[in-house]
Amino acid sequence: MTDTEIEITADLVRDLLREQHPDLAGLAVREVAGGWGNQMWRLGDELAVRMQRMDPTPELQLKERRWLPVLAPRLPLPVPTPVRFGEPSGRFPKHWTVMTWVAGEPLDHGSISRGAHAADTLAGFLRALHVEAPAEAPASADLGAHPQRCTSGFEHFLQAVDPGAVGDVGAVRDVWADAVAAPEWAGPPVWVHGDLHPANVVVSDGTLAGVVDFGSLFAGDPAWDLAAAWVLLPAGAAARFFDAYGQADEATIRRARGLAALKSLFLLLMGQNGDRGLPGGKPHWGPAGRAALDRVLKGV
């Protein structure tokens, strides 16, 4: 049996806790639906266990361990913070981390009804996150590039998604072309979450309540996060978001809108894969991607 074939069960989580953190082993363990690179388990009411599953290296978990304790105290929304480290062992040859639990419902299973409040909340969170990163901050191997260097990925998604699901392909290409033509980020590298999509934020009472999964965290162009104005927020909220954020020039907004088109196509593709029963597919992401792409094309 290979590492990727190891079945992660509640009994395995309890055994690992008994071995490495016995004072936590008596807490209730409950599986959390979703997750691909890592699998999550609730641990009692306030904690979670993040188990490395499909990620080929521990790099993403080690990054969260290193940097979330630095960032979390100055962020205005709850984020998962590591409290205990689980090391590879004969029982489980991968890394696992005990983290604080962020209460709320993932947006891909919930909704935002208070659009103005969510826009202000997201803007405040990203203003606090998007500060100049230190020299030792992680770079990104596959995220953070100017859109012109992501065109092959854009074309892959656009070709892979059923044209009927995309709709006006020409309009999508126009948004992307405008992002490619926009000037590069001229500021210093800032902290960027890098993977803001509906499964990586939680909602409560109709608005944003937390941000999770910082495995893609890097220092670079904030446009990668600002794409969330269209990917996460309901129609009509983008303008309020950018007004509240107050730090994005025209070029950055153009890049962000193109990247939002890219992320929307990714959501559509994951939904399509789910409809076709392919590994890793998520049928409920299709409608989220369709709605996001509509917002991108309308610019609202």
Side-chain angles (χ1 to χ4, degrees):
M1 178 178 285
T2 65
D3 288 352
T4 56
E5 293 171 338
I6 293 174
E7 183 182 5
I8 302 174
T9 65
D11 287 340
L12 173 60
V13 175
R14 291 190 192 95
D15 287 347
L16 293 174
L17 289 168
R18 290 190 190 101
E19 290 176 0
Q20 300 190 32
H21 299 287
D23 59 313
L24 301 179
L27 296 174
V29 176
R30 293 162 285 167
E31 185 174 6
V32 178
W36 178 249
N38 294 277
Q39 186 171 357
M40 294 286 288
W41 295 78
R42 287 289 301 273
L43 181 61
D45 293 329
E46 298 180 356
L47 300 174
V49 182
R50 187 166 170 80
M51 307 283 291
Q52 184 189 343
R53 181 168 61 177
M54 298 303 292
D55 285 344
T57 73
E59 177 185 354
L60 303 186
Q61 277 211 31
L62 298 180
K63 188 194 311 186
E64 290 183 324
R65 291 181 183 183
R66 168 68 177 88
W67 292 107
L68 277 174
V70 175
L71 296 173
R74 59 180 176 78
L75 296 176
L77 283 175
V79 300
T81 305
V83 297
R84 301 284 184 90
F85 299 159
E87 303 306 325
S89 66
R91 189 76 176 85
F92 184 69
K94 296 189 176 188
H95 287 73
W96 51 281
T97 306
V98 180
M99 314 183 81
T100 55
W101 174 253
V102 179
E105 183 178 27
L107 180 56
D108 63 330
H109 291 284
S111 63
I112 292 174
S113 57
R114 299 164 61 198
H117 188 281
D120 292 345
T121 300
L122 180 62
F125 176 84
L126 292 180
R127 276 201 317 272
L129 177 63
H130 291 169
V131 299
E132 185 172 354
E136 64 271 24
S140 176
D142 55 353
L143 297 174
H146 187 280
Q148 65 186 347
R149 294 190 289 278
C150 302
T151 295
S152 62
F154 170 81
E155 288 293 340
H156 167 73
F157 291 148
L158 189 60
Q159 296 298 324
V161 177
D162 181 1
V166 175
D168 192 341
V169 173
V172 177
R173 288 191 179 281
D174 288 345
V175 170
W176 183 252
D178 185 60
V180 167
E184 298 250 8
W185 170 245
V190 301
W191 282 114
V192 179
H193 178 282
D195 198 23
L196 290 176
H197 61 68
N200 286 344
V201 298
V202 298
V203 294
S204 179
D205 193 26
T207 190
L208 290 176
V211 179
V212 300
D213 195 345
F214 283 73
S216 297
L217 183 73
F218 67 90
D221 181 356
W224 281 84
D225 281 351
L226 299 179
W230 296 280
V231 175
L232 299 181
L233 298 176
R240 180 172 181 130
F241 164 80
F242 282 109
D243 285 345
Y245 179 76
Q247 301 172 184
D249 59 17
E250 179 187 2
T252 300
I253 294 174
R254 289 166 62 194
R255 294 194 307 277
R257 189 177 174 213
L259 292 167
L262 177 73
K263 291 169 181 277
S264 300
L265 291 173
F266 168 73
L267 292 173
L268 280 168
L269 179 58
M270 291 292 286
Q272 177 177 287
N273 288 348
D275 291 340
R276 296 175 179 177
L278 298 177
K282 299 180 183 295
H284 62 292
W285 283 20
R290 176 68 264 166
L293 190 58
D294 286 343
R295 295 190 292 266
V296 169
L297 295 180
K298 295 175 182 175
V300 298

